[in-house]
């Protein structure tokens, strides 16, 4: 895929082959959905070509089916590598989550929240939460969280009715989270999320209380929240740097990283290294307190990185405005250890039209 494909997200498919066979799914804004198997692209085709336009989200259910959310065209459901159904046509799907019962939960732009059960029966929820949502998230306790545009965060304990978050738990924060775009659950079952109306605030829920912590940077927009293998909470912001939760003080402190970088997202690899993808500033890797930069001079062919994936062989995959590429784990280790001054590009793909 090349720049005009507008690749934005990358997920690894499970259960479609053994761990020695790479299977990577790539969604694009213009030309749809393709699967890379053993270094060969297979493009999914359908009579309704618009079904694959403007892909917004992915979700893999417990049976291994892929639910592909789109803008204005609902879902395309892929089963066993082939198109199984076009579902919820004319709906804009923003993001997707799932529970242990096999229900698919969806946030939409104009139709509220939707729950789709195993038989693909749909229930829409708009009471209290409204029609225009930003995100949906199902936690390990089967609670469903939604963020409604300009209305705040709502939670459902019984999957039938949504209550304002601050009506069901004690608000120790003194602030109301609005326009949340990022939810994250850590290993201790704490729920972390942002609020765009309080851009320098991180909210978190433990037990039955809502608390918040401020990031030491004014007007910082939180774009991602992750937990590393040491249990540290890491927060990425847009143009205000990277922060981590200090175990001693209980406050967020700045990580040594340039403050003026437009961060896209964070990724923790299997060796507990923090990867930071950016808009037009390359790819950063945090290793034992040091920050290493991969850019065009060191082997990358684009400075904008959207998504990062580590496969079962320890190799890394990246989506960019100029296509998809992969770097071997050995090349990365060589670069990190200082034995190589650049990395070697392993694979790029042609356009599906070719």
């Amino acid at each position: 895929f090349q720049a005009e494909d507008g690749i934005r997200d990358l997920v690894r498919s499970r259960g479609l082959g053994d761990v020695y066979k790479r299977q990577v799914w790539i969604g694009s804004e213009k030309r749809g959905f393709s699967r890379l198997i053993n270094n060969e692209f297979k493009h999914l085709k359908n009579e309704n070509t618009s079904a694959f336009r403007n892909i917004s989200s992915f979700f893999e259910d417990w049976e291994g089916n892929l639910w592909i959310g789109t803008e204005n065209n609902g879902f395309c459901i892929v089963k066993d590598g082939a198109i199984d159904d076009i579902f919820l046509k004319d709906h804009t799907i923003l993001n997707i989550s799932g529970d242990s019962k096999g229900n698919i939960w969806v946030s939409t732009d104009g139709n509220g929240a939707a729950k789709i059960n195993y038989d693909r029966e749909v229930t829409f929820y708009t009471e209290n939460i409204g029609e225009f949502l930003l995100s949906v998230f199902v936690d390990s306790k089967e609670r469903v969280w939604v963020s409604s545009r300009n209305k705040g965060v709502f939670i459902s304990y019984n999957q039938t009715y949504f209550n304002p978050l601050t009506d069901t738990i004690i608000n120790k924060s003194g602030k109301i989270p609005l326009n949340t775009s990022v939810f994250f659950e850590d290993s201790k079952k704490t729920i972390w999320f942002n609020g765009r109306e309080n851009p320098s605030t991180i909210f978190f829920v433990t037990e039955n209380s809502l608390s918040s912590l401020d990031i030491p940077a004014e007007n910082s927009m939180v774009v991602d929240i992750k937990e590393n293998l040491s249990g540290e909470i890491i927060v990425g912001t847009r143009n205000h740097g990277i922060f981590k939760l200090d175990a001693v003080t209980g406050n967020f402190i700045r990580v040594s990283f340039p403050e003026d970088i437009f961060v896209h997202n964070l990724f923790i690899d299997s060796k507990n290294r923090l990867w930071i993808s950016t808009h037009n500033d390359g790819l950063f890797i945090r290793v034992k307190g040091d920050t290493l930069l991969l850019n065009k001079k060191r082997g990358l062919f684009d400075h904008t990185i959207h998504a990062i994936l580590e496969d079962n062989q320890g190799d890394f995959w990246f989506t960019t405005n100029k296509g998809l590429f992969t770097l071997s784990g050995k090349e990365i280790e060589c670069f990190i250890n200082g034995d190589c001054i650049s990395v070697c590009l392993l694979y790029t793909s042609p356009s599906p039209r070719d």
Side-chain angles (χ1 to χ4, degrees):
F1 289 126
Q2 298 175 351
E4 61 268 26
D5 295 302
I7 296 173
R8 286 295 183 273
D9 203 2
L10 181 65
V11 296
R12 175 175 50 195
S13 177
R14 300 185 301 273
L16 296 176
D18 63 52
V19 297
Y20 300 104
K21 297 180 180 179
R22 299 176 182 177
Q23 301 198 55
V24 180
W25 294 88
I26 303 98
S28 69
E29 290 183 343
K30 295 183 179 179
R31 295 201 193 110
F33 205 61
S34 294
R35 178 174 56 160
L36 176 64
I37 307 176
N38 297 330
N39 290 341
E40 181 180 357
F41 273 97
K42 302 292 185 181
H43 193 59
L44 289 176
K45 297 181 180 180
N46 188 62
E47 293 180 359
N48 180 11
T49 56
S50 64
F52 297 115
R53 298 290 178 87
N54 300 316
I55 289 173
S56 60
S57 51
F58 295 102
F59 182 78
E60 185 179 17
D61 66 24
W62 62 281
E63 289 187 328
N65 303 318
L66 281 175
W67 296 67
I68 307 163
T70 71
E71 296 179 13
N72 302 318
N73 287 293
F75 281 115
C76 172
I77 303 172
V78 177
K79 183 176 183 178
D80 297 327
I83 299 165
D84 181 58
D85 196 6
I86 306 296
F87 199 61
L88 290 184
K89 295 179 181 179
D90 302 323
H91 288 70
T92 291
I93 309 300
L94 296 180
N95 76 321
I96 313 166
S97 191
D99 62 31
S100 63
K101 298 177 182 178
N103 296 315
I104 304 296
W105 287 86
V106 180
S107 63
T108 74
D109 189 18
N111 297 95
K115 179 177 74 171
I116 306 161
N117 67 15
Y118 182 80
D119 296 320
R120 296 185 186 173
E121 298 170 332
V122 184
T123 304
F124 287 100
Y125 300 84
T126 57
E127 186 175 355
N128 276 356
I129 63 178
E131 298 177 344
F132 300 94
L133 303 187
L134 294 172
S135 54
V136 63
F137 173 73
V138 181
D139 67 21
S140 60
K141 297 179 181 179
E142 300 293 300
R143 298 175 298 187
V144 183
W145 305 66
V146 299
S147 171
S148 179
R149 189 180 301 172
N150 298 321
K151 287 190 173 185
V153 174
F154 295 78
I155 187 169
S156 176
Y157 295 90
N158 57 13
Q159 299 195 356
T160 58
Y161 187 80
F162 286 89
N163 293 290
L165 179 64
T166 51
D167 285 358
T168 61
I169 63 174
I170 301 171
N171 188 355
K172 297 181 179 179
S173 168
K175 301 177 181 180
I176 304 296
L178 289 174
N179 297 327
T180 292
S181 58
V182 178
F183 285 102
F184 176 76
E185 182 174 12
D186 68 19
S187 58
K188 296 179 180 179
K189 311 303 181 184
T190 299
I191 309 298
W192 300 83
F193 49 97
N194 67 345
R196 292 180 180 177
E197 300 304 311
N198 296 282
S200 297
T201 300
I202 296 290
F203 296 92
F204 61 98
V205 172
T206 56
E207 297 300 332
N208 291 313
S209 65
L210 170 67
S211 303
S212 63
L213 291 170
D214 289 332
I215 294 173
E218 293 184 1
N219 299 316
S220 54
M221 181 181 292
V222 173
V223 295
D224 205 0
I225 305 171
K226 290 290 190 296
E227 179 184 18
N228 65 20
L229 302 182
S230 304
E232 293 178 320
I233 300 299
I234 312 293
V235 173
T237 69
R238 186 170 296 175
N239 300 111
H240 283 85
I242 307 295
F243 301 85
K244 70 176 182 179
L245 187 60
D246 183 65
V248 177
T249 65
N251 295 314
F252 280 101
I253 59 175
R254 186 177 292 279
V255 172
S256 180
F257 185 78
E259 297 181 23
D260 58 347
I261 298 295
F262 189 134
V263 172
H264 271 307
N265 54 38
L266 308 176
F267 177 77
I268 308 295
D269 70 15
S270 60
K271 296 187 177 180
N272 205 29
R273 298 175 297 215
L274 172 65
W275 298 64
I276 304 160
S277 66
T278 74
H279 176 76
N280 207 37
D281 283 294
L283 181 65
F284 294 84
I285 312 172
R286 291 276 301 169
V287 183
K288 297 180 180 179
D290 294 327
T291 302
L292 306 178
L293 171 64
L294 279 172
N295 55 19
K296 290 182 179 179
K297 293 181 179 179
R298 292 172 175 170
L300 300 189
F301 61 86
D302 192 34
H303 280 158
T304 295
I305 310 296
H306 294 288
I308 307 169
L309 179 148
E310 182 180 7
D311 68 21
N312 291 315
Q313 293 178 318
D315 296 335
F316 295 86
W317 297 79
F318 310 90
T319 55
T320 77
N321 284 343
K322 294 184 178 179
L324 172 75
F325 69 92
T326 179
L327 294 171
S328 73
K330 292 181 179 179
E331 287 282 346
I332 293 296
E333 293 297 331
C334 183
F335 177 75
I336 289 175
N337 294 333
D339 298 325
C340 304
I341 61 173
S342 63
V343 293
C344 179
L345 181 68
L346 288 184
Y347 183 88
T348 58
S349 71
S351 167
R353 293 179 302 179
D354 301 330

